[in-house]
Structure formats: structure tokens, C-alpha cells
Amino acid sequence: MRKTYYRKLAFLGMLLIVLMAFQNYMSREKPDFPEVRFISETAVPAGLSEFDPNTLDGEQWKKLGFSEKQAATILNYKKMIGGTFTSKEQFKKCYAVSPEKFALLEPYLLLSETGENRSKDFKSFEKNTIRVSGKFNPDRLSAEDWERMGFSEKQALAILKYRKYLGGSFISKEKFKECFIISDEVYRQLDPHLLLPSKAPDHFGNSDSNDGVQSNISYRPFDPNTLNLDGWKALGFSEKQAATIVNYRDRNLHGSFKSFEDIQKCFVISPEKFRELKPYIRLNPATAQKDEKQQEKTDFSKTDLNIITYKQLLEFGLDEKSAGYIIGFRKKLGGFVNKEQILETYNIDKEAVQKLVSICPLDASGVPRYALTDAPEEWLKNHPYFKYSADKILFYRISNSDDKKIWKLLKLKPEYEARMKLYLK
């Protein structure tokens, strides 16, 4: 009995100690937890338009909001994957590009969504991927033969399609190398084994192909501006080559070759073929100049950069990509206000554009301008310089009728504010 009594007493004592300790703990003042703050990524710069990430250098990546280390990482990643981003999906995998940053940039990336054809089926091969047992004639290989050599099914079909385009024969090592599936590294592995002449032979002949160009052609004098599809085929070109020549003449040159140089520029007419045809070419002035009015040269010193056309930009010497981006950016802006904007356009040949802006005048009198308080909502949301701040402007001007107050509330970087003010009254 006495033992049981002491055990109960000991248990009650321990329970009391535990309760006192718990009460002491609960009565202590709880420390404040540090405030959790989320760091938001830099917003997309105002004025950003569609761009090709393969053309940007380190400084341009930094302008998009990346740090110097992140920009270097992106460039190193691009080198690691072969020097070119082939899809948005591939760009997204770069660990320097966070999901939030990718979501901001994704609408402006000039890349396909997945790029499966290029990234998987048309990728370059390492040296040990190609298996060649001896010399071979690529004109005689089937799709299965190319696959056994190490190419994918789609690559094999693309090679055959290219061979068919050439008229059923690769003609020469030089032409074989031009197939976009054949990288320089792969060509170096195959070159010693190819049973083809180094350069294209006369007439681009291939006696084994019924679809190819003809050999042993008897030439007669001809006017290239009057030849139809059959006429060019009679000169030894395949049907596809003949169609390309006719389209080049009728669409690119407005219906007529004006000079021998125009003929040489057609990519399906090789230098060897042109030398062969040249003695028989008769450029009739009547046919060569029938589109003379359309071919009048533009006086660029009098051509306003805000009304210059796509064709005039090509005439000046810009490539199609540069001309397209300039026209597209100008349309989104509603017109250029200064020449620096043209030079800041993404994906352009800056050297050629620099020459253009130094010659052409710029009249900005017709460019629409508004105050922040009365700018149309649609204009604000679509203009490259305003669209990222459009919602804030629309909100602030509900209770503020003064542009100066709205500017203070926006708290923009000076360079962004300066761009926007170009289009304000």
C-alpha cells in the first residue's frame, strides 16, 4: 500500500513539473518571423518587338533584363546545342531563363513551338554516327540505304527529295554538299567515299535519270524573255528547275531579264550552265525593257522613311528579313519619329540600314500623337512603347486629369519614359 502511494505521489509531481514548463513556454513572447518578399523579374523592355534569339549578343540579352552572368549562360547554352535555337521549347530549357521570364518573352520569339524537324530529325551527326563501308554513288541509294548509313527516316527522305529536285542526280560533290541535311562535318566523312566528280559536268547530265536534265543538247539562239516552261526544259533543265526560272523572271523581275547578270542570279542556273548558254542568249531590247516603267530607279534622297515600301527597301539592297522587320515595326509604331528608332529595330542588317537612314529623309508630321489623358485605349494597348503600361495609364487617368501626375505615378525608367514621350503631344 505504501509503495503504491509513493508511486502515485511521484507521478503527480512529474505531471506538475511538465504542466509548469508548458505554461512557461506558452507565456513567452513569440518572435516575429521575417517578412517574405518575392523578387519579381525584370519586365520586358518597352518597345520590344518580335526577335530571333539566335541573332542577339550579350549586350542585347542584358537589355532584355538578364544579368551579365545570365546572358553569358544563354550564349554558352546556344553553343552547346549546336549554335542555334531551333524552337521555343529548346530555348525554354536554358536554366538561365526562368518560367516567368520565358512567359514574358515567348510571344516575341521568332521560333517554332517545338522545332521537331530540325532539333531531332535534321540534327548534325558526330563523326562516329555515320557508317560507311566503302565507296558509293549517292545517286543509287534508296531511303533504306541512307538509314543504314546512320540518317533518320525523315533525313533520308529529305535527301532523296533534294536529289529529285536536282533532276534525279546529285551531279557533283559540290552539289551534294549543298544539301541542307549534310553538315560540313558529315560531308568531310563522306567525301572520300563519294563516286561523283568534284564539280558539275557539262549539261548537268545524268544518263540514268529520266527526270533529270538532258545531255548532248543542240543549242540555238534564244530570247530568255519569251521562253515558256517547255522552252527551258528543252535547254536541259528539269521541270522543277524550269518552273523556278520562269517564276524568278515573272515574279522577281516583273516579267523580263534585263541583263546577263539577272540570268546569272537565278540560283538553279549554275555558273557552268550559264557559260554554256551565254553564246546563244539574245536579249531583245523590246522584251527586256517592256517593264521599264516599273523598273525606274528610286531616288532615295527624296524618299520618306515613313512611306518607303518593302520593294524599295529591297531595291536599296536590304535583305528580305530586314525590310520586313522595318515595315512591320513602323506599322506598329504608327510611323517613325526619329531615325534612331529604325536602327534599333530587331533583326536588321545595321550596316545597310545605317546607309539607308543617312540618305533618306524622315517626315514625322503625320505620326499620331496624344496626351496620356486622352490617348485611345486601343492605341495604348497596341503601341509597342505603351502597351506594357497601358492598364496603369487607364487606371490612373480615371482620377487624374494631368499628365504630370500620371507620369509620377507610373514611376518608369527614364529611357522608357523618353521613348513614350516621342508619341505624346
Coordinates of all heavy atoms in Angstrom, one line a residue, residues 82 114 134 145 162 220 227:
G82 N 24.6 23.5 -80.5 CA 25.0 23.5 -81.9 C 25.0 24.9 -82.5 O 25.1 25.0 -83.7
T114 N 8.0 23.7 -81.3 CA 8.8 22.5 -80.9 C 10.0 22.3 -81.7 O 11.0 21.8 -81.3 CB 8.0 21.2 -80.9 OG1 7.5 21.0 -82.2 CG2 6.8 21.3 -79.9
G134 N 32.5 1.6 -97.8 CA 33.4 1.7 -99.0 C 32.8 2.8 -99.9 O 31.9 3.6 -99.5
D145 N 18.9 2.7 -97.6 CA 20.4 2.7 -97.6 C 20.9 3.9 -96.8 O 21.9 3.7 -96.1 CB 20.9 2.8 -99.1 CG 20.6 1.6 -99.9 OD1 20.5 0.5 -99.3 OD2 20.3 1.8 -101.2
Y162 N 15.8 16.2 -102.3 CA 16.7 17.1 -102.8 C 17.3 16.6 -104.1 O 17.5 17.3 -105.1 CB 17.8 17.4 -101.8 CG 19.0 18.2 -102.3 CD1 18.8 19.6 -102.5 CD2 20.2 17.6 -102.5 CE1 19.9 20.4 -103.0 CE2 21.3 18.4 -103.0 CZ 21.1 19.8 -103.2 OH 22.2 20.5 -103.7
R220 N 20.4 26.6 -129.9 CA 20.2 27.6 -130.9 C 20.0 29.0 -130.2 O 19.7 29.0 -129.0 CB 18.9 27.3 -131.7 CG 19.1 26.0 -132.5 CD 17.8 25.7 -133.3 NE 17.9 24.5 -134.1 CZ 16.9 24.0 -134.8 NH1 15.7 24.7 -134.9 NH2 17.1 22.9 -135.5
L227 N 10.8 32.5 -123.5 CA 10.8 31.1 -123.3 C 9.7 30.7 -122.2 O 9.6 31.4 -121.2 CB 12.1 30.5 -122.8 CG 13.2 30.4 -123.8 CD1 14.4 29.7 -123.2 CD2 12.8 29.7 -125.1

